[in-house]
Amino acid sequence: MTELSQERAPIYEALEKFQKMRIVPFDVPGHKRGRGNPELTALLGETCMQMDVNSMKPLDNLCHPVSVIADAERLAAEAFGAAHAFLMVGGTTSAVQSMVLASVKRGEKIILPRNAHRSVMGALVLCGAVPVYVNPAGDKRLGIPLGMRLSDVRKAIEENPDAKAVFVNNPTYYGICSDLRSIASLAHEHGMLCLADEAHGTHFYFGEGLPVSAMAAGADMAAISMHKSGGSLTQSSLLLTGPAMPAGYVRQIINLTQTTSGSYLLLSSLDISRRNLALRGREAFGKVIEMAGYAREEINRIGGYYAYSRELVNGDSIYDFDVTKLSVHTRDIGLAGIEVYDLLRDEYDIQIEFGDLGNILAYLSIGDRQRELERLVSALSEIRRRFSRDKASLMDYDYIDPVVILSPQEAFYADKESLPLKDTAGRICSEFVMCYPPGIPILTPGEQITGEIIDYIRYAKDKGCSMTGPEDARIERLNVLRGV
Ligand SMILES: Cc1ncc(COP(=O)(O)O)c(C=O)c1O
């Protein structure tokens, strides 16, 4: 192995060397360095097409890395303070699912907050594990789920001593963190693993004054969306593991569902982005924190909006807050978050990350500039002037406690029938229903449907939330268990 330092990008360097070798391709991909698909080459550029190659000896193999990919993983592990890092090309969904599949099997319990991403619930359908939900505390005014209270996690652990793992969002989409250090210690004291979804926390590893990262907090595994705040290409992610996890076994689990044709565009983007974060991350995220602070102040000055931050911290359900997240409560101007989200795009050509019933999230990262933030602030100010209305027309959002009757796997594969949404109250759902983003299920297979849930789905549809999950894409019908 050549000497490795964070200045290096082994996959990218190998690709550059490979280009110079002018090897004749009688292998896949069939576009043959772009020649066979001129339109695509015109769109993506020759460099991109020439780098879209298959695994081969000089470039290593993602399923069983021994050279440049292994080196890149070692560098990533070092940069993130992990025992091992796995490069992932199937999004953070694949990292989350590998984490869960490596921890629990059919019939085993996993403790998790109900506001976990759909990828977690999908993993439960795949492996047959049983969720034990800790209800995240809710903020009544903001209408958002918060973090898990330590006392609630302790109670879940004590009531389910046979559970194998505790799963934590670090942070939530809105930027809220649970007390991950204490949760990890508690899990370990009871012989359980601690898993962290850090889809929205890549920058925690590289910033000053940000919440603790999963690896620093002692978690056993963390799923990291490098393609979100880390700046790599969409769909590229990392799975980090701590010293207690057997890396060979985790690799076997990853290989159960991972492609055998890992994209070198994604792999080299991970390599280059890790180098960038390791060398310049602190400075870059320092600027992001400053910009977010500035935007928050300006938005709060408009009146009506509430751009929240660390003042929410309460030492428990909001143990910490990620100040790079520009989360804004919109209900006091009489508009649902999703309405502001649509207005920003349709009237002001501004695309934000998501809007829910009461909030919007503008995602800030290393590519943002002050001048775009000024545009966002002035658009929000105009929206208030032009479109605000009486907030009485908005529905109050309350956390809906799920009633779990069956495991997600049993319900998903059970004998089922399709019913009009209005006729499903009291029945057991056999599919997912969620607004995307944020992708937090309103219903998960195996849960009882209630009138309150039906009203919520209808309201979210009326407000224009993008809904997904059910077989019926219009969400007018739901699959429920037959005869139950
Ligand atoms: C909390 C959380 N976990 C996991 C994911 C999955 O990430 P990906 O879209 O990269 O598969 C997301 C996506 O937004 C997410 O918000």
Side-chain angles (χ1 to χ4, degrees):
M1 192 178 72
T2 46
E3 202 201 319
L4 283 180
S5 73
Q6 293 295 332
E7 278 84 21
R8 301 283 305 277
I11 301 175
Y12 170 63
E13 290 163 22
L15 276 168
E16 277 201 313
K17 206 161 138 200
F18 175 75
Q19 307 295 343
K20 292 189 187 123
M21 289 158 74
R22 305 180 68 82
I23 296 216
V24 182
F26 281 108
D27 64 348
V28 294
H31 61 67
K32 306 281 167 135
R33 318 283 192 264
R35 285 193 303 275
N37 197 338
E39 277 179 351
L40 190 59
T41 307
L43 175 70
L44 298 181
E46 277 181 19
T47 312
C48 191
M49 297 303 277
Q50 280 167 13
M51 278 175 62
D52 186 42
V53 290
N54 199 13
S55 296
M56 60 184 80
K57 220 169 183 184
L59 297 179
D60 208 357
N61 186 320
L62 183 60
C63 295
H64 181 71
V66 291
S67 60
V68 291
I69 294 179
D71 287 348
E73 291 191 334
R74 258 192 290 275
L75 285 172
E78 182 187 271
F80 283 81
H84 201 100
F86 298 86
L87 305 188
M88 307 293 291
V89 293
T92 306
T93 295
S94 65
V96 165
Q97 296 193 336
S98 300
M99 219 162 54
V100 174
L101 267 55
S103 309
V104 276
K105 296 193 279 289
R106 191 184 171 92
E108 291 181 343
K109 291 179 187 164
I110 176 167
I111 296 169
L112 73 164
R114 186 56 173 73
N115 56 335
H117 186 253
R118 61 183 284 178
S119 52
V120 189
M121 312 300 180
L124 301 185
V125 170
L126 293 176
C127 71
V130 180
V132 174
Y133 290 119
V134 171
N135 292 346
D139 183 302
K140 196 89 180 124
R141 173 180 172 202
L142 301 177
I144 59 171
L146 306 175
M148 293 188 288
R149 290 190 199 98
L150 192 58
S151 54
D152 290 340
V153 178
R154 182 176 291 114
K155 185 162 171 274
I157 288 179
E158 284 169 2
E159 287 174 359
N160 299 276
D162 53 339
K164 299 291 175 203
V166 182
F167 185 99
V168 189
N169 292 313
N170 193 49
T172 66
Y173 225 138
Y174 303 89
I176 288 163
C177 295
S178 306
D179 180 0
L180 186 54
R181 261 200 192 97
S182 304
I183 293 174
S185 308
L186 202 57
H188 292 158
E189 278 165 32
H190 291 80
M192 300 177 194
L193 295 172
C194 177
L195 320 180
D197 183 340
E198 294 197 311
H200 303 290
T202 308
H203 47 289
F204 291 1
Y205 292 83
F206 303 98
E208 308 286 341
L210 289 171
V212 69
S213 69
M215 287 296 112
D220 297 286
M221 289 189 266
I224 306 280
S225 277
M226 279 291 272
H227 71 90
K228 292 196 168 96
S229 60
S232 65
L233 286 180
T234 295
Q235 218 173 297
S236 60
S237 288
L238 293 174
L239 172 57
L240 306 178
T241 56
M245 291 309 297
Y249 178 64
V250 175
R251 174 89 64 203
Q252 280 182 325
I253 293 282
I254 291 171
N255 282 339
L256 291 177
T257 50
Q258 178 172 264
T259 175
T260 46
S261 308
S263 159
Y264 277 87
L265 297 176
L266 299 184
L267 292 172
S268 57
S269 95
L270 280 171
D271 206 16
I272 291 169
S273 308
R274 181 271 312 148
R275 177 170 69 180
N276 184 41
L277 293 182
L279 301 181
R280 292 173 284 275
R282 264 166 220 289
E283 191 194 332
F285 288 116
K287 285 196 189 127
V288 176
I289 292 169
E290 241 174 64
M291 279 193 291
Y294 162 82
R296 244 189 310 271
E297 253 177 48
E298 292 297 306
I299 291 168
N300 285 333
R301 208 169 282 158
I302 296 170
Y305 296 107
Y306 175 31
Y308 38 96
S309 184
R310 292 183 57 84
E311 71 280 359
L312 295 180
V313 169
N314 60 17
D316 198 6
S317 58
I318 311 178
Y319 187 77
D320 208 344
F321 185 81
D322 171 9
V323 290
T324 72
K325 299 278 186 297
L326 190 52
S327 304
V328 184
H329 187 60
T330 62
R331 279 170 51 106
D332 294 341
I333 63 161
L335 294 176
I338 185 68
E339 293 173 303
V340 175
Y341 167 97
D342 283 337
L343 285 167
L344 280 168
R345 188 194 47 250
D346 297 344
E347 302 277 330
Y348 299 94
D349 296 330
I350 293 174
Q351 179 62 48
I352 57 167
E353 178 69 11
F354 81 88
D356 65 14
L357 297 186
N359 303 270
I360 55 170
L361 172 70
Y363 209 96
L364 301 197
S365 191
I366 51 181
D368 285 300
R369 298 175 298 186
Q370 186 77 16
R371 72 180 96 139
E372 277 95 20
L373 278 175
E374 313 275 359
R375 259 185 78 182
L376 175 65
V377 172
S378 75
L380 286 173
S381 168
E382 254 192 75
I383 286 175
R384 179 184 177 221
R385 191 171 52 74
R386 290 176 60 199
F387 301 99
S388 65
R389 58 172 188 246
D390 183 8
K391 80 175 198 184
S393 64
L394 296 177
M395 178 177 166
D396 269 332
Y397 165 76
D398 250 339
Y399 174 73
I400 304 174
D401 223 345
V403 181
V404 180
I405 310 282
L406 282 179
S407 82
Q409 188 183 60
E410 282 172 299
F412 187 83
Y413 290 112
D415 189 18
K416 51 199 161 193
E417 60 183 318
S418 165
L419 290 185
L421 180 62
K422 66 177 176 35
D423 299 336
T424 57
R427 303 297 295 270
I428 302 170
C429 194
S430 84
E431 53 192 358
F432 293 97
V433 183
M434 66 203 102
C435 300
Y436 206 96
I440 292 159
I442 300 164
L443 275 170
T444 288
E447 289 174 5
Q448 188 160 46
I449 304 167
T450 61
E452 196 188 4
I453 292 173
I454 296 172
D455 288 346
Y456 183 84
I457 294 172
R458 284 218 194 94
Y459 182 76
K461 274 174 68 179
D462 283 353
K463 285 291 172 200
C465 289
S466 149
M467 311 280 295
T468 93
E471 204 169 323
D472 171 22
R474 292 162 309 150
I475 322 220
E476 276 159 16
R477 305 180 73 83
L478 281 185
N479 286 343
V480 297
L481 264 64
R482 190 185 294 280
V484 188

